[in-house]
Amino acid sequence: CFVFVLMTMSEAQQFFDPHFHQWDVIGCTHTKGKPPHDKERLGGPAETFPTFDHTNLAEHLEKGNHCRVIGAVHVEALPDVGNGLGEINWSVEKAEGKCCAPAAFIPLMMVARVDLSSDTASSELDALQKAHPTRLRGIRMIVNWEPTWPLVARSDYLTSPEFERGYAALGNVGFSFDLHANPYQLEDAAVLAKKYPTIPVIISHFGCLKLEGADTEEDKQRRISVWRKGMRALQDAGDHVYLKLSMFCYVDPDWDQDGSPVPALFDEMVDLFGASRCMFASNYPVDLSLGVDGPRLIQGLQKLAKSRTKEEVQDMFYKTAMRAYRVDQQS
């Protein structure tokens, strides 16, 4: 197993990043197999960063000495359907330095992709768990529909019996579920979360609230109301539901500037879930490609957390993520 030794807090903020992506769309990493990533599917971020791995993550986040990365979680980067294991095999090679000599090394966990509505979901989960029992922690299957994200083929995943069968199978292999859904879908997700309390649920990216593009103040408040209702339902589903405080630039591109609605919404959610169920994350290289570099990210997160206690700050920067992804801690 992996044991992370937490050193005494120094001036640089310790950060266990529970959400970033390794990918390679040009095949330059010299792994045994072809990188399982599609440039068109990944879009603009892959244009800016054709390759990205854990060494790049540490380099960018630690720029300016505002933080020290003590570990991270690679979250699947949209591999082809049925190739979740192939992507994780490739990612493990990267993590273990088998394909290149890393310039820096950080302990790395994994979240794979499986279509939980597939007839083969249970067997795919078994294969993943057997192949990588110490690194693999969970599954993400994006279900955002209208607006629809890549690889989402239907609107009713969260309420379909096929998906529920695959979701229940997560418990058989000890995996968590990274929930990536639109705000209006969160209440359906809460029903599943409440029904299966032994399966940890980690809500991605602040519940995918998007305020940019709201034509009127009334439209903005309507979006917040739908999102708030779903988030409250998920919080109420149980203590096994966690929240990633990430992708704030999706909520509002000026999330870290005075006048943004993000700080008030941040405080509302941390008060709702409690810091022990909330975790900061980078979403690199996606947010990095949108102009949120390391110093801006870390300083912006510290600004959001400025009124919180030392214990709450530690929870949000590393302790909650390590609990949610079942990583041993020694302090």
Side-chain angles (χ1 to χ4, degrees):
C1 68
F2 293 86
V3 177
F4 294 72
V5 179
L6 306 183
M7 307 301 290
T8 302
M9 288 289 289
S10 62
E11 185 175 339
Q13 174 65 58
Q14 291 186 102
F15 187 22
F16 183 98
D17 184 2
H19 196 114
F20 90 104
H21 308 286
Q22 296 196 130
W23 67 50
D24 178 357
V25 298
I26 55 178
C28 72
T29 54
H30 308 295
T31 53
K32 295 176 182 177
K34 179 182 177 182
H37 303 114
D38 183 272
K39 185 176 182 179
E40 291 187 9
R41 190 179 299 150
L42 291 169
E47 292 279 354
T48 306
F49 296 99
T51 65
F52 199 85
D53 64 22
H54 60 296
T55 65
N56 304 128
L57 177 74
E59 175 187 356
H60 284 283
L61 285 178
E62 294 180 354
K63 185 178 180 181
N65 297 316
H66 296 290
C67 85
R68 180 169 63 85
V69 180
I70 61 171
V73 178
H74 158 74
V75 177
E76 59 90 13
L78 303 175
D80 292 339
V81 174
N83 196 29
L85 179 57
E87 191 210 26
I88 294 303
N89 287 340
W90 175 85
S91 294
V92 168
E93 282 192 63
K94 294 288 293 180
E96 295 180 353
K98 293 180 179 178
C99 54
C100 59
F105 180 78
I106 58 172
L108 188 61
M109 300 292 113
M110 308 278 176
V111 169
R113 185 187 190 279
V114 169
D115 181 350
L116 296 177
S117 69
S118 168
D119 291 340
T120 62
S122 182
S123 60
E124 289 181 57
L125 294 173
D126 287 341
L128 281 160
Q129 198 278 331
K130 289 176 182 176
H132 303 291
T134 59
R135 286 196 185 273
L136 200 57
R137 288 294 182 267
I139 298 298
R140 180 179 78 156
M141 177 187 171
I142 294 175
V143 297
N144 300 64
W145 181 264
E146 293 185 354
T148 304
W149 290 54
L151 300 179
V152 180
R154 53 194 280 191
S155 64
D156 65 340
Y157 283 121
L158 292 170
T159 57
S160 72
E162 299 89 358
F163 182 91
E164 181 175 350
R165 182 174 60 245
Y167 185 92
L170 293 170
N172 298 333
V173 290
F175 287 169
S176 55
F177 181 64
D178 273 50
L179 171 65
H180 197 299
N182 291 324
Y184 76 89
Q185 298 173 292
L186 299 179
E187 287 187 90
D188 287 335
V191 173
L192 271 181
K194 195 164 189 174
K195 188 174 180 179
Y196 297 95
T198 62
I199 299 172
V201 176
I202 298 129
I203 307 165
S204 292
H205 302 326
F206 211 53
C208 291
L209 174 64
K210 185 176 178 66
L211 299 182
E212 184 184 19
D215 296 327
T216 64
E217 181 63 24
E218 182 181 4
D219 183 25
K220 180 190 292 186
Q221 293 305 317
R222 180 194 60 80
R223 295 185 188 195
I224 292 174
S225 178
V226 171
W227 165 80
R228 179 180 286 131
K229 190 176 180 181
M231 295 294 273
R232 287 175 175 172
L234 282 162
Q235 187 277 333
D236 187 58
D239 291 345
H240 63 296
V241 180
Y242 300 86
L243 173 61
K244 284 181 179 174
L245 305 166
S246 57
M247 209 166 75
F248 289 125
C249 60
Y250 183 79
V251 182
D252 173 20
D254 297 322
W255 64 277
D256 54 344
Q257 303 301 308
D258 292 341
S260 172
V262 166
L265 297 171
F266 166 86
D267 283 334
E268 179 182 346
M269 288 301 109
V270 175
D271 289 343
L272 178 66
F273 282 85
S276 63
R277 292 166 62 188
C278 293
M279 64 192 88
F280 288 133
S282 75
N283 193 37
Y284 274 15
V286 178
D287 287 23
L288 183 61
S289 74
L290 298 174
V292 185
D293 64 12
R296 181 185 175 190
L297 176 67
I298 300 303
Q299 290 176 320
L301 297 181
Q302 289 173 327
K303 182 179 178 181
L304 288 175
K306 66 182 179 181
S307 66
R308 300 290 166 171
T309 67
K310 178 181 178 181
E311 290 73 22
E312 288 177 314
V313 171
Q314 289 176 344
D315 275 337
M316 291 186 286
F317 270 104
Y318 63 93
K319 288 188 174 181
T320 297
M322 296 175 78
R323 283 193 298 268
Y325 286 107
R326 289 86 67 208
V327 178
D328 291 333
Q329 301 181 46
Q330 290 184 352
S331 54

